[in-house]
Amino acid sequence: MNVKNCMSHDEDDEEMAEIHPQTIAPTQGPQGTPLRRNESASPSTPQGGNSSASSSTCTPNERGKKFRNLNDIYEQEAANEGMNSLFALYFHVDDSIHFEDAIKDMKWIEAMDEEINAIERNKTWDLVELPKGKEVIDVKWVYKTKSNVEGKIERHKARLVVKGYKQQYGRDYEETFAPVARIKTMRAVLSIAAQNKWKVYQMDVKLAFLNGVLMEDIYIEQPLGNEKKGQKHKVCRLKKALYGLKQVPRAWYNRIDSYLLENGFEKCEGEPTIYIKENDGKLLIVVLYVDDVIFTGNDVYLIENFKTVMKEEFEMTDMGLMRYFLGIEVDHNENEIFISQAKYVNEVLERFNMQDIKATITPTVMGLKLSKEDSSKDFDPSLYKSIVGNLMYLIATRLDIMHVVSSISRFMERRKEAHWQAAKGILRYVKGTKMFGILYTTSEYSNSIEYTGSDWAGSVEDWKSTSNYVFHMVLGAISLASKKQPIVALSTAEAKYVATTITACQAVWMRRMLGSLCQEQAKATFIFFVTIAQLLHCPRIPCFIRERNTLT
């Protein structure tokens, strides 16, 4: 166990900013916060985690430099008698496991055996003598307890990971980029499925990255606990990818992309992770997100055949109807699909120790203007970036906080206490509306509509305006954004024209994508300009945000 930081009571006395070293989101992406450390992270600590907190005994500069150990804290407290401090010990209950401990526990032994068996079935490596001039890359075991949407333990997973940070560009790898499906793409597919009364299914590729074929010669050491007797001096020459290699995502994407194209699928225009197969009016849509395969269509035989051929080519887990994806909960009934993030909201509140805060009915104070030059004191950078990252991911199903989260995200480098209070205000609102989400349903009117709006000179630093838009089909939001405009508008009319232009560009892209999914828009897409308040809350506009009380 490591003491990561010292803590003090929050100003409100009803909550404390307590951070657990967990990842900000299920797909760590660009929104994540870099791990702050003075030593190398443990194998179980995911990048994007955060474990710093505000303290009255630590200056912001001290917190930004390193984590303090117990001796440092005790010595400082001894010199500051009379100060009441609160100490927090942070450790992973399920992930901080080393090989020496795992080898004594049967559940982890079985998990490691399952991983090795899968690697051997996949013919991932050959055992060879190390060629002269070649270097060996180390490997390690990483352990993870997997839970479902209710938080119950599903299985224990052991994964063999290559220490990819030892790879050298040009020798061990070159291209590393691999596309993944955008959240708005997933919303579009769910909307199409709801409109056509299709079921949406999900499959998971077991050890997906192990299927990628490597083009480079890479040698790794034999994994702990699996050294071959009499051949311990030999190394493993990789034929296929292993987790941890820098080129693994690219290799896996190339593998499944070529397989789908060879089997009659076509790529969606403008979205390289959507594949369509159409034959005599029968349609199958497949969406890839790393090792998750989401698919829907209008023909049961086509869907079942797809499941069969995928299981023959890859080791797959059929998860049935789509229920939980990247922290998003999906509820189905005959005519509706409802998505929300109630479980994720609870995790965020627990992560910041704000489960007992009082809920509010609005995400921000009316007319609030935030500034980098605010007179309040500086705030802890790691803590602020962590809460903003969590809130940004929540926008996936909550467009009602889109504008205010966009506003607080502009102060990552010069965060003040006032910005932190604004972020807490959003969490208070989210706590009282955790069951809210987006409802996709069936309707006779299937044409797309966009609503857009902007303020004027809303930023007090540079006087730039903020554009907001929501693109929806059948009353369900598909694409949404809140972004500062690139120019300084000289009038409200100019700000509106800029916002409308950005919205029109998004409409063109969405119409092309929908057309490639066999959902041609017969009529023009109407763009309505409204105020930001109307965009998010006006009852005269179709309701984008619903509470989870409409589905059984």
Side-chain angles (χ1 to χ4, degrees):
M1 294 187 296
N2 295 323
V3 174
K4 297 296 186 185
N5 214 324
C6 57
M7 299 174 59
S8 65
H9 286 289
D10 190 86
E11 292 180 355
D12 297 332
D13 269 345
E14 66 178 359
E15 63 212 37
M16 294 177 297
E18 180 175 327
I19 313 301
H20 295 277
Q22 300 172 345
T23 183
I24 290 177
T27 101
Q28 270 352 295
Q31 299 173 349
T33 306
L35 182 66
R36 304 185 68 86
R37 59 195 174 193
N38 64 329
E39 295 180 355
S40 60
S42 66
S44 61
T45 304
Q47 287 192 354
N50 242 301
S51 53
S52 60
S54 60
S55 171
S56 61
T57 60
C58 310
T59 67
N61 290 335
E62 289 173 341
R63 288 193 298 270
K65 291 180 181 178
K66 65 175 184 177
F67 294 131
R68 300 189 299 157
N69 57 37
L70 278 174
N71 290 333
D72 293 338
I73 297 176
Y74 290 152
E75 290 175 0
Q76 184 164 348
E77 289 305 307
N80 293 279
E81 294 183 1
M83 295 186 66
N84 295 321
S85 295
L86 179 65
F87 302 109
L89 297 177
Y90 297 111
F91 62 96
H92 281 288
V93 175
D94 54 351
D95 291 345
S96 292
I97 302 172
H98 298 286
F99 176 78
E100 291 76 11
D101 300 320
I103 201 65
K104 302 174 184 177
D105 193 328
M106 183 55 63
K107 65 175 179 287
W108 294 119
I109 294 175
E110 293 175 354
M112 287 188 287
D113 289 341
E114 181 182 354
E115 174 83 351
I116 291 297
N117 291 335
I119 290 174
E120 291 178 347
R121 287 195 305 270
N122 200 44
K123 300 180 180 179
T124 302
W125 61 52
D126 291 327
L127 207 58
V128 300
E129 300 280 352
L130 180 64
K132 187 176 181 180
K134 296 292 183 178
E135 295 187 12
V136 178
I137 302 177
D138 299 334
V139 297
K140 63 182 179 182
W141 284 104
V142 176
Y143 306 93
K144 179 67 176 179
T145 300
K146 309 285 283 188
S147 58
N148 58 18
V149 64
E150 290 84 16
K152 297 180 180 179
I153 295 177
E154 281 190 329
R155 61 193 177 109
H156 295 88
K157 178 68 178 176
R159 177 157 288 165
L160 185 65
V161 178
V162 179
K163 297 181 180 179
Y165 58 85
K166 294 187 176 182
Q167 288 183 269
Q168 294 184 14
Y169 177 78
R171 184 193 70 182
D172 300 319
Y173 71 96
E174 290 184 0
E175 185 63 57
T176 61
F177 172 77
V180 294
R182 313 177 206 195
I183 295 297
K184 60 184 175 184
T185 300
M186 295 300 309
R187 290 192 291 253
V189 172
L190 292 174
S191 177
I192 293 170
Q195 171 67 12
N196 294 281
K197 299 182 180 181
W198 298 343
K199 298 296 184 181
V200 183
Y201 301 92
Q202 182 176 2
M203 296 182 75
D204 178 74
V205 185
K206 294 182 180 179
L207 307 171
F209 285 178
L210 302 187
N211 293 282
V213 179
L214 295 177
M215 307 304 294
E216 303 85 5
D217 288 333
I218 297 178
Y219 300 88
I220 63 170
E221 64 180 2
Q222 296 187 49
L224 288 173
N226 194 57
E227 298 91 343
K228 299 297 182 182
K229 293 183 179 179
Q231 303 184 65
K232 292 185 177 182
H233 63 286
K234 291 187 176 181
V235 297
C236 301
R237 182 178 66 83
L238 294 180
K239 298 189 294 183
K240 295 183 179 180
L242 273 182
Y243 289 91
L245 292 174
K246 294 182 182 296
Q247 66 268 47
V248 160
R250 181 77 173 186
W252 160 240
Y253 173 76
N254 289 338
R255 174 74 175 87
I256 193 168
D257 174 72
S258 60
Y259 177 76
L260 292 176
L261 294 178
E262 290 171 0
N263 283 270
F265 284 87
E266 295 182 0
K267 278 188 183 180
C268 171
E269 181 180 357
E271 185 57 83
T273 56
I274 294 185
Y275 298 83
I276 308 101
K277 177 183 281 189
E278 185 182 13
N279 185 17
D280 297 331
K282 299 176 181 179
L283 179 66
L284 178 63
I285 300 173
V286 177
V287 184
L288 299 180
Y289 193 98
V290 191
D291 58 351
D292 287 305
V293 182
I294 311 299
F295 53 99
T296 185
N298 60 2
D299 185 74
V300 175
Y301 172 77
L302 204 58
I303 291 174
E304 293 300 323
N305 181 67
F306 176 74
K307 291 182 180 180
T308 302
V309 297
M310 288 294 288
K311 290 179 180 178
E312 291 175 355
E313 183 69 17
F314 309 102
E315 287 193 55
M316 308 286 294
T317 300
D318 187 353
M319 305 177 72
L321 287 177
M322 183 180 180
R323 296 294 183 186
Y324 190 69
F325 176 75
L326 297 179
I328 299 174
E329 299 161 50
V330 184
D331 289 339
H332 298 256
N333 72 9
E334 184 177 354
N335 300 317
E336 298 173 335
I337 296 177
F338 181 80
I339 60 174
S340 63
Q341 293 171 282
K343 179 177 181 290
Y344 178 71
V345 169
N346 290 330
E347 290 175 353
V348 173
L349 292 172
E350 182 180 358
R351 191 171 301 165
F352 293 94
N353 199 23
M354 295 183 182
Q355 308 94 312
D356 300 324
I357 59 175
K358 296 179 182 178
T360 59
I361 60 174
T362 58
T364 185
V365 178
M366 190 69 176
L368 177 65
K369 295 285 187 180
L370 298 175
S371 171
K372 295 179 181 178
E373 306 301 331
D374 191 271
S375 59
S376 59
K377 62 182 180 180
D378 292 341
F379 194 75
D380 181 273
S382 297
L383 182 55
Y384 186 76
K385 291 177 181 179
S386 178
I387 194 171
V388 171
N390 280 268
L391 290 172
M392 289 180 73
Y393 190 70
L394 190 57
I395 297 175
T397 61
R398 297 295 300 274
L399 66 88
D400 50 337
I401 63 172
M402 173 180 64
H403 180 74
V404 65
V405 172
S406 172
S407 298
I408 66 171
S409 66
R410 300 170 187 172
F411 306 101
M412 294 291 201
E413 299 305 321
R414 297 187 64 180
R415 67 267 121 213
K416 301 286 186 177
E417 182 69 28
H419 306 147
W420 166 250
Q421 295 299 328
K424 287 202 302 184
I426 302 174
L427 277 183
R428 292 177 187 274
Y429 170 73
V430 168
K431 181 179 186 292
T433 58
K434 65 176 69 174
M435 303 306 291
F436 282 19
I438 302 176
L439 177 67
Y440 301 107
T441 185
T442 301
S443 173
E444 295 180 358
Y445 183 79
S446 61
N447 207 54
S448 58
I449 298 177
E450 276 202 83
Y451 292 92
T452 184
S454 73
D455 60 5
W456 182 52
S459 175
V460 298
E461 276 84 27
D462 52 20
W463 301 105
K464 290 183 178 180
S465 307
T466 299
S467 299
N468 303 269
Y469 68 77
V470 176
F471 184 100
H472 81 92
M473 291 177 59
V474 199
L475 309 185
I478 295 177
S479 178
L480 46 103
S482 178
K483 185 178 181 181
K484 185 187 288 188
Q485 295 180 359
I487 64 171
V488 177
L490 301 181
S491 65
T492 55
E494 185 178 1
K496 292 179 180 179
Y497 276 117
V498 173
T500 306
T501 301
I502 295 173
T503 305
C505 293
Q506 181 66 20
V508 171
W509 181 82
M510 289 297 300
R511 287 177 64 89
R512 288 178 178 174
M513 188 193 71
L514 292 172
S516 64
L517 295 177
C518 301
Q519 305 296 316
E520 292 284 353
Q521 300 293 291
K523 298 180 181 180
T525 298
F526 292 95
I527 299 178
F528 296 95
F529 193 93
V530 296
T531 66
I532 294 177
Q534 289 174 327
L535 181 66
L536 301 182
H537 298 290
C538 180
R540 290 176 294 175
I541 293 179
C543 185
F544 301 111
I545 300 298
R546 304 289 181 96
E547 189 169 4
R548 193 206 297 253
N549 58 5
T550 58
L551 302 183
T552 58

